[in-house]
Amino acid sequence: EDQVTQSPEALRLQEGESSSLNCSYTVSGLRGLFWYRQDPGKGPEFLFTLYSAGEEKEKERLKATLTKKESFLHITAPKPEDSATYLCAANQGGKLIFGQGTELSVKP
Amino acid sequence: NAGVTQTPKFQVLKTGQSMTLQCAQDMNHEYMSWYRQDPGMGLRLIHYSVGAGITDQGEVPNGYNVSRSTTEDFPLRLLSAAPSQTSVYFCASRRTGSNQPQHFGDGTRLSIL
C-alpha cells in the first residue's frame, strides 16, 4: 500500500534550537517529493521539490534532503515565525499522497 | 495576483442538504484538484481535472461531484450532505507537467449537522 508517514506529530523547540522533521514513504512510481508549510486557517504553501536520492534544497533556515526511503526537513536556529505545520507529499504520477504533518512550535 | 480563490470560507449545512464549493484560479493552470483535510490525517484527493471537460476520481470521491467547463473554475458539489463530510476542503492547481508543484487556496471549512 502506498503510504507517507511523518514524525514526530508535534515538535516544540526553543528559539535557536535546531532539529529535523522526518518523512518516510513507501510509494510506487515515485516522481518526486514535495514539502509544504501550512499556517493555521490557511492552505499549504509550497516550499521544496526533491526529485532524486541525494538531492538537497535550501531556503533560509530550512534544508530538505532525500534518500530512497525518507526525506528530512532540517531547521537551523529556528525563529518563532517558523511555527507552522509542515507537510510532505509524495508525487505519484502527478497525484500527491500526503503525510499527516508535523506541527512545529518555536518558543522565544 | 489572486492565485487560487475558494468560496465560501465557512459553511454550516444540515444533513441531506446540497451545496457547491467554488474554486477559481487565475494562473491559467490546466490541472486542478480537490482535497479534504481531517484531523490526524493527511490531505486526501477527492477529484481532479487535467483540463476543461476532463475530470477523474481520486482516493475519496463518494458523495461528491465535479465538472470543469472552463480552465479557471472547478466547483465541487455535495449531493446530499452527511456528517462524515464535515471537513476542511482545499482546492489546488498546477501547470501541466506532473512534477510541477500544486498551489492551494485557503480552504472552505464545512460543518454538517
Side-chain angles (χ1 to χ4, degrees), chain A residues 38-78:
Chain A
Q38 185 175 23
D39 292 301
K42 298 292 186 180
E45 177 185 351
F46 171 71
L47 291 172
F48 305 110
T49 308
L50 301 166
Y51 293 108
S52 58
E55 187 175 2
E56 298 183 354
K57 294 275 181 73
E58 287 190 61
K59 180 179 180 180
E60 295 181 358
R61 294 174 293 281
L62 301 177
K63 182 170 77 172
T65 62
L66 183 67
T67 72
K68 290 186 177 180
K69 295 183 178 181
E70 55 192 351
S71 178
F72 292 94
L73 185 65
H74 306 278
I75 303 175
T76 302

Side-chain angles (χ1 to χ4, degrees), chain B residues 6-20:
Chain B
Q6 292 185 237
T7 56
K9 294 186 184 303
F10 302 93
Q11 184 70 49
V12 178
L13 292 178
K14 293 182 179 179
T15 298
Q17 287 185 315
S18 63
M19 82 160 292
T20 299

Side-chain angles (χ1 to χ4, degrees), chain B residues 1-102:
Chain B
N1 189 358
V4 178
T5 302
Q6 292 185 237
T7 56
K9 294 186 184 303
F10 302 93
Q11 184 70 49
V12 178
L13 292 178
K14 293 182 179 179
T15 298
Q17 287 185 315
S18 63
M19 82 160 292
T20 299
L21 279 61
Q22 302 291 344
C23 175
Q25 52 92 9
D26 62 359
M27 297 173 283
N28 202 32
H29 288 171
E30 290 295 322
Y31 183 97
M32 296 186 74
S33 55
W34 277 101
Y35 294 85
R36 60 178 289 172
Q37 186 174 40
D38 302 293
M41 304 185 72
L43 283 89
R44 291 181 292 168
L45 182 64
I46 304 171
H47 285 285
Y48 65 98
S49 169
V50 298
I54 306 170
T55 64
D56 206 345
Q57 296 181 352
E59 179 186 357
V60 288
N62 292 340
Y64 308 96
N65 273 359
V66 292
S67 60
R68 184 95 179 271
S69 57
T70 68
T71 298
E72 294 79 19
D73 300 298
F74 190 42
L76 178 71
R77 297 182 184 85
L78 278 69
L79 308 174
S80 178
S84 61
Q85 294 178 304
T86 294
S87 188
V88 183
Y89 291 85
F90 289 99
C91 178
S93 72
R94 63 165 169 80
R95 290 188 286 181
T96 300
S98 61
N99 289 341
Q100 296 295 320
Q102 295 194 33

Side-chain angles (χ1 to χ4, degrees), chain A residues 4 9 14 18 40 46 54 69 74 77 84 87 90 96 99-101 103:
Chain A
V4 176
E9 291 185 7
Q14 289 296 124
S18 301
F46 171 71
K69 295 183 178 181
H74 306 278
L87 307 174
L96 298 185
Q100 313 95 305
E103 184 178 356

Side-chain angles (χ1 to χ4, degrees), chain A residues 6-19:
Chain A
Q6 291 187 245
S7 61
E9 291 185 7
L11 182 61
R12 293 186 177 185
L13 299 174
Q14 289 296 124
E15 184 172 4
E17 180 186 3
S18 301
S19 188

